Amino acid sequence: MSKIIENIINDKHDNYILPFFWQHGEDEATLREYMKAINEANIGAVCVESRPHPDFCGEKWWQDMDVILEEAKKRNMKVWILDDSHFPTGFANGAMAKEPISKARRSICCEKIELKAGETLELNQAELIHPLQRELTEMEKTIGQMTGRMPEVKPQEEFEDDALVGISVTNSAGVTKDLQVLIDAQGNLKYTAEEDCFIYKMNTTRNRGSHPDYINMVDEASVRVLIDAVYEKHLEHYKDYFGNVIEGFFSDEPELGNGHLYELHHEMGIGFDMDYPWSAELEYDLRAELGEDFATKLPLIWETTGDEAKRAAARLVYMDKLTRLIEKNFSYQVGNWCRAHGVKYIGHIIEDNGQHCRTGSTLGHYFRALKGQDWAGIDDIGGQVYPMGENDNFDRGAFQVRNGNFYHFLLGKLASSLAALDSKKQGNAMCEIFGAYGWDEGLRLEKYLADHFMVRGVNHYVPHAFSAKPFPDPDCPPHFYAHGHNPEYKAFGELMKYMNRTCELISGGRHIAPVAVMYHGEAEWAGKCLADELVTRNLTEHQIEFDIVPQDIFVEREDYKTSISNGTLTVGSQEYKAVVIPYTQFISDSFAKGIKELIAAGVRVYFVDGKPEAVIDSQITTDDLTAETIKIDAVAATLSDIVDVTIAPENSYIRYYHYLKDDTNLYMVVNEGDKEYTGKITISGDYSEVKGKEVFAFDAWINSIYKTDIVDGIGNINLKPSESRIFVIPKDEADAELLTSNTVADIQIPAGTKLIQPNGNWTRSIVKSINYPNFSEQVEVSLPDDYAKVDAEFSGWFRYENTFTATEKGKYVVEITDAFEVVDLYINGTKLQTQIFAPFVFDISQYVKDGENNIRIEVATTLEREMLKVPDMFGRPKPEPKYGSGITGEVNIYSF
């Protein structure tokens, strides 16, 4: 480990960053300029996004890709390719228009008809075959207006391949009878009700969902259309690049596409106007599982009254078969094609607000949807995670729904957990990040977001985005280069260094977590449940590490390498001493058997907020499940004896991530709060050998390591808001000696330190980023100096210059109490480490000379103020800037 850190300090490490590079059909010179800009931002890969390109897989596309691949090879960069011409993945570059209708996206609909005793229902052949038509909802119209892509449902059109799946009657006692036997030779049905009842008529159709021209994710042949239209085309052109320059392909938010797309608060099974995905293979699997009368049981998917257990059984079977087909026909089919051709397959689904286990805009089950991929993946765009945002919850309509608990206490852990559990992932977890936060997003927020996901174990990032369109491109800013107009571009490269350094340390080993929290996907399908994020919040805020674990570990034991013995649940390389099960109303037989086995082996098992009500289709009863039931606010307290990090005083904003690499224990600790934390940290646990060992702290931002006062695992900890440290416990004395050879002293300003006054007034000059470093308009100023009061719309660079006199040998430190937003300090012409958080503190001792010294401070803003006059692409009002410009605090020079 000491050699790894030494290499990191010398900036020798792998690349973990692959930003989106948006293509619009730009000229060759622009493409080359952007590849250079991306590479010079300390990034070693790009993910080429075709969404805005006018000729995907056409002559212009291949010309542009030739340039990008040539530049990538020259710069030793890797290239990933987003796998479709439209968002989301599944359009297959329009190829479905030429395919037979048997491959089309298909839905199943259910119409519920109430009959009173003695009433007669008569349906002719057309009425039986075709589903009830409907108008577009207001939500669908709103989404169409916002996305510029109206849903393509034709409300009054009947398709020739519409089909009747089943028609049945259910009486008040819940007894169901198949009515298909009453259909006569002409295809008509007549039925007179003997008692009050409901008729359920189910049909399949292509006339549902917002994207009927997309592939059917549960049809193997339909998914193959995407492979043939996109993947095979790239193989044909660039076979020699596969596995060397071309690293792989990226699927962006593939969907099932049923129902009311992007209604993020809409849960599975609510409302009779909701269609669900369908295919011939799905029908075959359901018939095999439920019997020839399967069509009499499926209406329970839509039903909201009656026997809850029967309803749960139908939903569990349907969703299980559906998501297994997604796993096989989409995720694995595409992934296996990639691996067979020497490249990787990555991407993510829509996880927003708990959608990860639903249909509609996503794929029904997070773990199964990504099982065929080589990395686990998530995304954080559009303001989903932000400082102190865990309690912000709202529902304002399309694209404006927020569940703060989900974003802050589950999202990141979905990716890192799948990466840890699935051996195919080899610990690799990816997050698409930074996009669509707006031009006010700068390095402070971006570092917060990076830390938020890194301390949850995510170790690869797809920054969103580099756009080569002429500045200003209104499409989902910020854009990190913006043809040289973004003042923070240089500092963005420093952030990329920081992220690469950190990701190097949390890759190639394994995550240490004593607790497994069971994934709530199946629980939500079946009935009432407690969402995982409510349980994981209690753990996170009390510094208890965990993974999210799917129920599939009990069914796919060989694939997940599951074993249970001696008080431990082992899944792959992960070992858990306790299993936490958020409340689930109904559970499956396989899950119940797994719980019994855990209990019998001495694993600590806890039901949170109640035991299951019943086990579906099983000889096992809930009485057989003897695990303890605890309240949600008692989870952390119950598990406090198996933690390996504690802090005092308690603080709900301190996060940590325990990683074991090269037999060395690493603890990444981050302060996500808005106040400085000072306290004691105690490191213990089965995997941390701390007795008698020195503990080092690695600061990945300034790229230095120093000794701490932590002895036998106990010592002081101090973290400013948004500050991170990685504590390193060397594996042996030789490792400790090598670490010691690379240490520097931590910066501490003693009380009563002498303050040196500058030799005169400060001068300030300004420049737009595109013209840097040609500063002008030099004037004398006093500090603080908020330039926003001079020009409220200026974005760019400020340069402040002065001199000071050094008369004594010793330590010299510069402190800038506040500035917005990025600060570069130069002493006698030498640049020190870029900093982004106030107070900005620099040790300048080695650059100070006797007598007069020059001090130059350069401050870069975001593009927020300059972009105030550029309309939002969705017509939303722009908030007033929260911060000033320039040096908005004092500059102190200390000597001691």
Side-chain angles (χ1 to χ4, degrees), residues 110-121 123 166-180 182 189 191-202 272 295-297 299-300 302-307 311:
C110 183
E111 183 181 351
K112 183 179 182 181
I113 306 167
E114 184 176 7
L115 290 182
K116 299 295 184 183
E119 289 184 339
T120 298
L121 173 70
L123 298 173
I167 184 166
S168 58
V169 58
T170 301
N171 64 19
S172 58
V175 177
T176 297
K177 183 169 64 175
D178 192 348
L179 295 183
Q180 291 191 84
L182 300 181
L189 174 99
Y191 174 74
T192 301
E194 299 175 359
E195 56 185 313
D196 293 353
C197 62
F198 289 102
I199 305 294
Y200 297 92
K201 182 173 79 77
M202 294 187 301
F272 294 112
T296 67
K297 301 168 184 175
L300 291 170
W302 290 267
E303 187 56 86
T304 57
T305 62
D307 191 316
R311 207 160 66 229

Side-chain angles (χ1 to χ4, degrees), residues 625-698:
L625 307 178
T626 57
E628 182 181 349
T629 299
I630 57 177
K631 293 293 185 183
I632 190 170
D633 57 3
V635 176
T638 304
L639 299 171
S640 62
D641 61 316
I642 59 173
V643 301
D644 59 3
V645 162
T646 56
I647 58 171
E650 292 184 354
N651 186 290
S652 63
Y653 286 101
I654 301 300
R655 312 282 181 249
Y656 91 98
Y657 185 72
H658 184 184
Y659 202 72
L660 187 66
K661 179 171 181 172
D662 190 31
D663 293 325
T664 300
N665 286 279
L666 305 169
Y667 292 85
M668 182 178 184
V669 185
V670 174
N671 181 1
E672 289 191 345
D674 59 358
K675 296 179 177 59
E676 184 172 355
Y677 178 79
T678 299
K680 293 280 187 182
I681 186 170
T682 300
I683 300 172
S684 58
D686 293 344
Y687 298 95
S688 297
E689 299 175 7
V690 296
K691 190 73 173 176
K693 288 187 176 181
E694 294 179 295
V695 177
F696 296 79
F698 180 61

